């Protein structure tokens, strides 16, 4: 009898253990979200799940109603009409009104079981909080906005504590966006790298304040086993790392200078094809600077991590000068903003073959820019919040 009881007990324990392992825990949101590519009619939301899931965004107007007062429209992370299964999620919301603030939440359901066409079972889901805390908000672009304010940090190289100091005043100052101008980390080895480098903090500090990001790819973003996933984090309107956007009076051209050494340098292990990528960009750039949108903009700013070089500069900088500068010089560019040198430079002596100033921001300061049709004000602010350099570009003198 005793042996039978022990046997039954063992069987029950095994059954309980099996029951526990049969239902995996709900997949939680790991990091994010942050917002990119804000336009007059839409925006893109990006986040990361702890395991494979499908994802969507729910949207609500600012009409005073509780988020739970109605079934909100869903915008899925889908491709070719099929919900994407994975950890990184990116959702484009479109069809919105210009100059309008919207509330949104991110939602996901983890994959409990995926037996293909036999059956797929999803978990109960996880989402950003809208019951105890306010939902996230974002404002679409207002075409009548006459001034743009933005901040730029670069070359963080995974020094997240420095990044936090540089952007901590943003929720109060409310810039239109924060530009991460390359070298977020030194190499991207895993899915976690960029979140740890600064994206986790960007999500925590900027997203609740309704501040989106604009991101350029630095030369270090080409390095590491996970480097190929850059566009999973930062999708662009072109599907490339180079693109344009408009914000207030300013037209922005985002360029990718690629790597700094020749493609065949041993450090790149035979994996680089950046000569060709820069050549493609130069072709694309010809069309951009001849477009009506570019010509009609009162202010024109180029964002690029690397810098057009001098004759004795490293290879990548020389190629930027050879391929990009002929398309930019004489076209009415007001300013180029770069990183890469890890030191501040104000270059307006024509030594880089351009007819516009280049501000190279250090790796320890935040550049704060205000631009309108009359001119551009630039302030370099250190981690203590002190203005250590300033410039004024007066459009009337151009
Ligand atoms: Fe750097």
């Amino acid at each position: 009898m005793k042996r039978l009881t022990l046997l039954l007990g063992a069987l029950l324990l095994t059954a309980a253990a099996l029951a526990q392992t049969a239902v995996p825990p709900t997949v939680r949101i790991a990091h994010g979200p942050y917002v990119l590519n804000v336009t007059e009619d839409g925006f893109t939301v990006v986040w990361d799940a702890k395991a494979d899931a499908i994802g969507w965004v729910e949207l609500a107007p600012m009409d005073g109603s509780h988020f739970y007062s109605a079934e909100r429209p869903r915008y899925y992370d889908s491709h070719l009409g099929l919900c994407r299964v994975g950890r990184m999620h990116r959702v484009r919301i479109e069809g919105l009104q210009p100059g309008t603030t919207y509330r949104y939440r991110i939602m996901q359901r983890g994959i409990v079981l995926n037996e293909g066409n036999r059956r797929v079972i999803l978990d109960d889901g996880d989402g950003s909080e809208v019951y105890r805390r306010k939902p996230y908000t974002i404002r679409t672009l207002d075409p009548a906005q006459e001034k743009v304010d933005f901040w730029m940090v670069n070359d963080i190289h995974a020094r997240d504590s420095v990044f936090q100091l540089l952007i901590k005043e943003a929720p109060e100052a409310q810039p239109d966006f924060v530009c991460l101008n390359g070298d977020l980390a030194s190499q991207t080895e895993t899915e976690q790298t960029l979140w740890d480098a600064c994206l986790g903090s960007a999500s925590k500090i900027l997203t609740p304040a309704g501040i989106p990001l604009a991101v350029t790819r630095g030369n270090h973003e080409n390095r590491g086993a996970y480097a190929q996933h850059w566009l999973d984090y930062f999708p662009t309107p072109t599907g490339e790392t180079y693109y344009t956007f408009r914000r207030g009076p300013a037209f922005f051209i985002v360029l990718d200078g690629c790597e700094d050494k020749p493609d065949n340098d041993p450090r790149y292990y035979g994996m680089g094809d950046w000569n060709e990528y820069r050549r493609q960009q130069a072709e694309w750039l010809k069309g951009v600077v001849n477009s009506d949108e570019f010509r009609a903009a009162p202010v024109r700013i180029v964002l690029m991590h690397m810098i057009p070089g001098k004759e004795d500069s490293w290879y990548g900088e020389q190629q930027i000068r050879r391929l990009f500068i002929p398309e930019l010089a004489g076209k009415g560019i007001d300013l180029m903003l770069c990183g890469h040198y890890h030191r501040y430079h104000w270059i307006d002596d024509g030594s880089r073959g351009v007819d516009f100033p280049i501000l190279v921001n250090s790796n320890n300061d935040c550049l704060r820019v205000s631009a309108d049709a009359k001119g551009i004000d630039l302030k370099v602010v250190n981690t203590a919040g002190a203005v250590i350099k300033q410039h004024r570009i007066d459009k009337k003198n151009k």
Side-chain angles (χ1 to χ4, degrees):
M1 189 64 195
K2 195 177 169 189
R3 284 173 67 183
L4 189 66
T5 311
L6 281 171
L7 189 66
L8 271 172
L11 277 171
L12 280 169
L13 281 171
T14 311
L18 278 174
Q20 271 190 343
T21 53
V23 183
T26 302
V27 174
R28 299 297 176 195
I29 293 164
H31 308 98
Y34 55 85
V35 174
L36 302 165
N37 304 329
V38 181
T39 57
E40 287 177 28
D41 73 339
F43 61 100
T44 300
V45 184
V46 181
W47 76 95
D48 187 31
K50 288 197 170 175
D52 280 355
I54 64 162
W56 69 90
V57 170
E58 293 176 359
L59 193 79
M62 294 287 280
D63 57 2
S65 67
H66 195 278
F67 205 91
Y68 285 149
S69 69
E71 188 175 336
R72 304 301 183 182
R74 291 180 174 192
Y75 300 81
Y76 282 94
D77 175 17
S78 65
H79 182 60
L80 307 176
L82 192 60
C83 285
R84 199 187 326 251
V85 174
R87 292 188 297 271
M88 283 296 296
H89 291 289
R90 51 214 183 268
V91 175
R92 179 75 191 162
I93 295 108
E94 285 186 341
L96 309 182
Q97 296 300 310
T100 306
T101 303
Y102 291 88
R103 296 176 290 168
Y104 68 93
R105 73 184 306 198
I106 57 170
M107 293 292 298
Q108 64 183 34
R109 289 183 72 184
I111 308 296
V112 175
L113 185 72
N114 190 349
E115 294 182 342
N117 200 36
R118 252 162 53 85
R119 63 178 170 173
V120 178
I121 300 174
L122 305 177
D123 70 17
D124 55 329
D126 189 25
S128 54
E129 181 62 68
V130 291
Y131 181 55
R132 293 174 206 85
R133 293 193 350 221
K134 285 183 181 169
Y136 298 120
T137 59
I138 194 75
R139 186 171 173 78
T140 55
L141 299 196
D142 181 352
Q145 183 182 332
E146 291 183 347
K147 187 167 160 251
V148 61
D149 295 306
F150 67 97
W151 292 14
M152 184 183 95
V153 296
N154 48 276
D155 299 278
I156 293 300
H157 288 278
R159 295 167 306 139
D160 184 48
S161 55
V162 174
F163 177 73
Q164 289 180 40
L165 287 174
L166 292 175
I167 64 159
K168 70 175 183 190
E169 290 172 11
E172 198 184 329
Q174 283 286 306
D176 290 307
F177 65 91
V178 170
C179 171
L180 309 180
N181 199 351
D183 286 10
L184 283 61
S186 296
Q187 62 275 323
T188 310
E189 298 292 2
T190 72
E191 185 183 319
Q192 186 73 18
T193 303
L194 296 174
W195 292 108
D196 290 346
C198 64
L199 280 181
S201 294
S203 299
K204 284 193 188 105
I205 296 169
L206 302 176
T207 308
I211 302 168
L213 298 174
V215 184
T216 81
R217 188 170 73 154
N219 57 305
H220 278 264
E221 266 82 51
N222 291 283
R223 304 178 194 181
Y226 212 71
Q228 315 239 349
H229 294 267
W230 178 257
L231 285 179
D232 294 351
Y233 294 79
F234 307 112
T236 68
T238 56
E240 306 287 346
T241 53
Y242 49 87
Y243 58 101
T244 66
F245 65 97
R246 173 88 185 231
R247 187 94 203 197
F251 185 90
F252 292 88
I253 303 177
V254 175
L255 294 175
D256 181 353
C258 301
E259 269 291 5
D260 52 1
K261 295 178 275 298
D263 289 8
N264 66 359
D265 189 274
R267 289 274 296 273
Y268 305 142
Y269 313 108
M271 300 289 283
D273 189 24
W274 298 293
N275 282 334
E276 174 58 18
Y277 202 55
R278 279 187 291 254
R279 190 197 63 73
Q280 286 174 25
Q281 266 181 92
E283 283 301 310
W284 167 83
L285 196 49
K286 277 186 217 294
V288 169
V289 296
N290 285 311
S291 68
D292 292 341
E293 211 186 348
F294 173 83
R295 288 180 176 162
V299 180
R300 303 172 190 118
I301 297 173
V302 178
L303 303 170
M304 177 167 59
H305 174 75
M306 294 253 288
I307 304 152
K310 296 187 278 194
E311 276 181 14
D312 60 347
S313 294
W314 286 25
Y315 180 82
E317 290 183 38
Q318 287 186 51
Q319 293 308 306
I320 289 167
R321 179 156 178 174
R322 186 176 74 80
L323 290 163
F324 297 172
I325 294 312
E327 312 305 335
L328 296 171
K331 302 290 187 341
I333 303 284
D334 296 296
L335 174 68
M336 178 181 272
L337 299 175
C338 302
H340 191 55
Y341 287 166
H342 294 203
R343 279 196 301 142
Y344 164 87
H345 292 264
W346 175 258
I347 305 170
D348 64 351
D349 58 359
S351 61
R352 311 297 168 117
V354 296
D355 58 345
F356 45 82
I358 301 172
L359 191 148
V360 180
N361 190 40
S362 90
N363 58 340
N364 288 318
D365 299 313
C366 176
L367 177 69
R368 302 185 186 182
V369 185
S370 292
D372 61 21
K374 291 184 184 138
I376 306 172
D377 284 305
L378 302 117
K379 286 185 181 142
V380 179
V381 180
N382 65 15
T383 48
V387 177
I388 54 171
K389 297 268 190 316
Q390 28 189 338
H391 294 278
R392 163 81 184 169
I393 299 169
D394 205 333
K395 292 276 291 181
K396 282 182 289 192
N397 294 338
K398 280 183 80 78

